[in-house]
Amino acid sequence: METKNIMIVGVGGQGSLLASKLLGHLLMSQGYDVKVSEVHGMSQRGGSVVTYVRYGDKVFSPVIDKGEADYIVSFEILEAARWLPFLKKDGQIVTNTQQIDPMPVITGAAEYPSDLVKKLKESGAKVDALDCLSLAEEAGSAKAVNIVLLGRLSHYFDLPEEAWMNSLQANVPEKFLEMNKKAFRLGKESGQ
Amino acid sequence: MIEPSDSAEALEFTKLAYEISEKFDTPVLLKMCTRVAHSQSLVETGDRNVPDFPYEKNIGKYVMMPGNAKKRHPIVEERTKKLIEYAENCPLNRVEMGGTEIGIITGSTSYQYVKEVFGDSVSVLKLGMTNPLPNKLIKDFAAKVDKLFVVEELDPIIENHVKALGLTVTGKDLLPVCDEFSQNLIAKAFGKDTAESYALEDVIPNRPPVMCAGCPHRGLFYTLKKNNCTVLGDIGCYTLGAVPPLGAIEMTLCMGASIGAVHGFNKVRGAESENKTVAVIGDSTFMHSGMTGLANVAYNQSNSTIVIVDNSITGMTGHQQNPTTGYNIKGDPAGKIDLEALCRAMGFERVRVVDPYNLDQCDKVLKEELAAAAPSVIISRRPCALLKYVKHNPPLSINRDKCVGCKSCMKIGCPAISMKDGKATIDNTLCVGCNVCSQLCPVSAFEGMVNKEDR
Ligand SMILES: Cc1ncc(C[n+]2csc(CCOP(=O)(O)OP(=O)(O)O)c2C)c(N)n1
Ligand code: SF4
């Protein structure tokens, strides 16, 4: 199988690391070669963060380059726009519609672009946008945005739900498992 | 020196490094580049093998005083020759023959990009051991291909060596000296097409990292900026004190450098500098490499002001314990170094402790210590806002009728405060009620504050 590319993008502190860990675990359990690469460093603190997940029969490069991502999973809508040039032609964006102002916008040095979901769609990209924060809160915790997104992403994958659940179980603390399962289902069943 | 190209090789090469070290009686460096360090790939785990090597006393070998060192030098030279022989024929270096029009010598993460771009269409000499380099292997490889390239990040180390062997090779003429490579970068350099994608017309604002809402460092940097200080910084979360709107830190070099720098500034520039220059260093960085600098200030007597920002943890690298916290890296109780006592023992008579959430106190103490005619240490102490044991206050809110939109509260660069329709608003999912912003409001528009005593 040709190597497939998933990019996870968001704002430092939103839980994208857990999402990439879970995806890595899931794809490994399906027998794929997997490479995961994180760009964070200082951006742990509210900066733009990106994680690359690549899988296939044999994966070489650990990074995803412009025009290569089969999926962009975005925790925040501006970040989906930032990384759009990395989407493959015909690739799929799955994004949270949440808006988090970056510091230059807060200080007035820059402006947050308007109508991003609409503009992303107009660019020709396939966009699945959902309000993950509300769904996460419905599931029981605003922190479950990452799991809502993965639930939605699972909709595009031909994998048994059991495999996703196993990876969920292996990566979240026992006491939050039920809440996260709910978040996963809410994500999976909502959207387009 | 050996260089793995992914996690699996990092494991395999580390084991080999120990073998080489024992076999040749040599130190071995395992060189990790940024990308290998920040990526994960699958590894086969094995049983841990801990051989028992007895230590034998050998003064001639282990005490490197000049007489002994001179005798060791020929042994080291001999060892290097043996290592070159080993490099010619070791599992770390391998030739992957493919198309022979192009031959690429590469290693580390660059190897992965080369394979990603070319697959088996070119021949590759993958070097896992980059010092010493295998001369014969390189020459033999060069003879088998039409055109020889070196693909390596940063300085042309391999390329220069290949050139010194008298071979014709292309490297930095084609590829940049700066920054990381990627598959597209290499594809473009070799004239190959890269994938098309989508684009937006909008300008996407940057999202630089910021200190967390409620970060204890914020109040301190606000105070330093307000007092027009020249701030010589160090490395940690507090380095973000260099970023707008705080923009207070003017220099950061390497761990511990702030204290040496303030000493140098004050020695050279005298009173003009003494009254406004401060070093700012984190608790962890101070324990790592700040103490020698502090001893220098005390011993060589500069009238310097050093601020230790003690957030009771190593924040930036992921909340590790450090020698001031009373716990070891595993979280078990450990020795706890008392910063105040340590500074006094080094000869500082002026050691002050402030709470960075209390702006008036910070301002008063900073002014006093800058004015004092003796070196001083100010410990700015409050635990990192992300620590589990830290109890937060409920979020504040702003009374829109009272807010005059003066943006005073925005001078601290808190991600929880923004302007909406000309008035400040607070994001209640981020605000932890630290009350630093409210101290800046000229019209008392903040609501929901908890008394200082209750904090
Ligand atoms: C020589 C060296 N070793 C390790 C690091 C990685 N590093 C970056 S920040 C840091 C420590 C930060 O802790 P502290 O000084 O307590 O500041 P905080 O992040 O908690 O504000 C370390 C070890 C480095 N930059 N340089
Ligand atoms: S992790 Fe702690 S020290 Fe670092 S920016 Fe956040 S609150 Fe401040």
Side-chain angles (χ1 to χ4, degrees):
Chain A
M1 189 193 100
E2 208 182 300
T3 301
K4 290 268 185 193
N5 301 317
I6 309 172
M7 264 172 95
I8 304 172
V9 304
V11 179
Q14 275 191 300
S16 62
L17 244 57
L18 176 69
S20 63
K21 214 170 128 195
L22 202 149
L23 270 180
H25 183 274
L26 172 79
L27 296 163
M28 188 173 77
S29 76
Q30 300 300 303
Y32 293 114
D33 186 20
V34 186
K35 282 190 178 170
V36 175
S37 186
E38 288 141 11
V39 182
H40 45 78
M42 272 179 93
S43 41
Q44 256 175 333
R45 318 269 163 253
S48 171
V49 283
V50 49
T51 309
Y52 309 107
V53 179
R54 307 193 74 215
Y55 66 103
D57 292 337
K58 169 86 188 138
V59 180
F60 289 109
S61 170
V63 303
I64 298 172
D65 221 321
K66 282 189 178 156
E68 290 187 340
D70 296 276
Y71 300 96
I72 292 181
V73 180
S74 176
F75 283 63
E76 199 266 356
I77 188 70
L78 181 68
E79 294 308 307
R82 183 187 314 284
W83 297 100
L84 175 70
F86 282 70
L87 191 69
K88 190 185 256 177
K89 281 280 175 187
D90 269 340
Q92 176 73 46
I93 294 178
V94 177
T95 183
N96 184 5
T97 50
Q98 195 181 346
Q99 166 172 345
I100 301 175
D101 288 349
M103 195 45 71
V105 170
I106 289 178
T107 59
E111 223 173 289
Y112 197 103
S114 59
D115 298 324
L116 281 175
V117 175
K118 190 166 147 255
K119 287 176 185 164
L120 284 170
K121 286 184 178 161
E122 282 167 3
S123 78
K126 287 193 266 179
V127 184
D128 186 352
L130 60 161
D131 180 357
C132 299
L133 187 59
S134 302
L135 292 171
E137 277 165 356
E138 190 184 329
S141 164
K143 289 207 175 101
V145 161
N146 47 10
I147 307 298
V148 173
L149 271 168
L150 286 182
R152 192 60 201 152
L153 181 70
S154 75
H155 173 81
Y156 297 92
F157 278 69
D158 195 13
L159 288 178
E161 175 149 322
E162 199 194 329
W164 288 89
M165 287 301 147
N166 287 344
S167 293
L168 199 58
Q169 194 156 5
N171 287 288
V172 305
E174 182 66 38
K175 62 177 173 176
F176 298 125
L177 187 60
E178 278 316 307
M179 186 271 291
N180 278 304
K181 280 185 173 171
K182 188 170 174 200
F184 186 88
R185 294 225 169 81
L186 283 171
K188 187 171 181 183
E189 284 151 22
S190 68
Q192 312 266 311
Chain B
M1 171 142 65
I2 63 183
E3 295 191 47
S5 71
D6 63 11
S7 311
E9 280 190 355
L11 176 62
E12 186 192 328
F13 285 16
T14 304
K15 286 187 192 164
L16 268 170
Y18 280 108
E19 277 173 29
I20 296 169
S21 176
E22 285 310 308
K23 189 168 165 199
F24 295 93
D25 200 9
T26 179
V28 178
L29 300 180
L30 185 77
K31 183 178 166 229
M32 304 286 281
C33 68
T34 309
R35 192 51 39 210
V36 173
H38 283 261
S39 64
Q40 295 161 280
S41 67
L42 305 186
V43 298
E44 287 284 344
T45 54
D47 288 330
R48 199 178 157 85
N49 170 18
V50 189
D52 185 22
F53 291 115
Y55 166 73
E56 277 164 31
K57 181 171 174 176
N58 185 345
I59 293 172
K61 180 177 172 191
Y62 296 128
V63 180
M64 282 303 98
M65 49 188 174
N68 290 346
K70 277 187 181 175
K71 283 185 209 138
R72 288 295 297 175
H73 193 173
I75 297 171
V76 170
E77 293 301 323
E78 203 46 46
R79 180 176 75 194
T80 305
K81 276 189 201 145
K82 288 190 186 136
L83 280 164
I84 295 175
E85 261 169 58
Y86 171 80
E88 298 287 359
N89 220 330
C90 74
L92 293 156
N93 299 331
R94 64 167 185 265
V95 174
E96 296 173 8
M97 287 312 285
T100 53
E101 230 168 87
I102 292 176
I104 297 177
I105 304 176
T106 185
S108 189
T109 194
S110 298
Y111 163 79
Q112 304 290 354
Y113 305 140
V114 165
K115 290 301 276 188
E116 184 78 34
V117 171
F118 294 105
D120 297 332
S121 68
V122 300
S123 294
V124 173
L125 168 55
K126 180 186 183 295
L127 296 174
M129 182 155 159
T130 45
N131 186 57
L133 285 164
N135 297 339
K136 189 167 174 304
L137 190 64
I138 292 171
K139 283 184 188 161
D140 288 352
F141 179 73
K144 284 189 216 153
V145 298
D146 299 343
K147 198 158 178 356
L148 188 64
F149 295 87
V150 170
V151 177
E152 62 187 322
E153 288 179 339
L154 305 176
D155 287 329
I157 306 290
I158 301 173
E159 182 184 345
N160 286 348
H161 186 89
V162 173
K163 283 183 174 156
L165 292 177
L167 297 168
T168 308
V169 62
T170 308
K172 293 297 164 189
D173 291 345
L174 199 63
L175 295 156
V177 174
C178 300
D179 213 347
E180 283 185 62
F181 289 175
S182 70
Q183 50 265 38
N184 276 4
L185 182 139
I186 289 170
K188 279 187 198 144
F190 281 84
K192 294 181 101 155
D193 288 339
T194 52
E196 280 181 29
S197 186
Y198 305 95
L200 291 187
E201 277 167 20
D202 292 74
V203 178
I204 307 292
N206 282 341
R207 192 185 295 278
V210 289
M211 289 172 198
C212 305
C215 176
H217 298 327
R218 186 172 278 110
L220 177 84
F221 283 109
Y222 171 78
T223 308
L224 292 170
K225 175 148 186 203
K226 188 179 143 202
N227 282 283
N228 245 329
C229 289
T230 301
V231 183
L232 309 173
D234 235 295
I235 313 220
C237 286
Y238 51 93
T239 310
L240 293 171
V243 177
L246 289 167
I249 291 183
E250 300 180 34
M251 188 212 81
T252 291
L253 207 57
C254 62
M255 288 192 54
S258 61
I259 304 182
V262 77
H263 178 77
F265 254 66
N266 290 343
K267 277 286 184 190
V268 174
R269 295 158 62 87
E272 169 215 353
S273 171
E274 287 166 5
N275 295 333
K276 60 178 253 198
T277 313
V278 297
V280 174
I281 183 166
D283 52 339
S284 169
T285 303
F286 178 75
M287 292 316 302
H288 177 274
S289 46
M291 286 184 289
T292 32
L294 203 68
N296 186 32
V297 171
Y299 179 60
N300 285 318
Q301 305 251 318
S302 66
N303 180 11
S304 297
T305 303
I306 292 111
V307 182
I308 303 177
V309 281
D310 178 9
N311 59 353
S312 310
I313 204 74
T314 315
M316 177 161 174
T317 48
H319 297 97
Q320 294 82 6
Q321 302 292 340
N322 71 50
T324 68
T325 66
Y327 296 92
N328 66 18
I329 192 76
K330 294 178 188 159
D332 298 332
K336 180 172 163 58
I337 290 176
D338 179 333
L339 282 176
E340 291 93 308
L342 176 75
C343 297
R344 284 201 190 94
M346 281 198 175
F348 282 76
E349 276 162 24
R350 303 188 70 98
V351 180
R352 311 283 297 270
V353 179
V354 297
D355 175 1
Y357 277 4
N358 185 337
L359 296 181
D360 287 344
Q361 185 198 31
C362 280
D363 191 62
K364 180 168 170 283
V365 170
L366 178 70
K367 286 192 163 88
E368 284 169 11
E369 294 315 313
L370 282 171
S376 39
V377 171
I378 302 172
I379 300 171
S380 174
R381 178 171 289 147
R382 185 168 268 278
C384 162
L386 297 191
L387 293 183
K388 291 216 171 69
Y389 68 79
V390 171
K391 281 211 214 88
H392 292 303
N393 294 326
L396 307 184
S397 60
I398 290 170
N399 184 330
R400 291 183 67 84
D401 294 335
K402 285 195 193 163
C403 175
V404 291
C406 71
K407 296 190 181 174
S408 295
C409 57
M410 297 195 60
K411 289 188 190 144
I412 51 171
C414 176
I417 313 176
S418 57
M419 295 299 284
K420 292 269 140 67
D421 307 321
K423 310 261 169 156
T425 55
I426 291 189
D427 179 341
N428 61 8
T429 63
L430 287 179
C431 177
V432 295
C434 75
N435 283 339
V436 171
C437 53
S438 61
Q439 296 167 51
L440 302 173
C441 181
V443 293
S444 305
F446 283 80
E447 290 176 347
M449 280 169 314
V450 176
N451 286 335
K452 274 184 193 159
E453 296 70 43
D454 301 341
R455 285 210 289 254

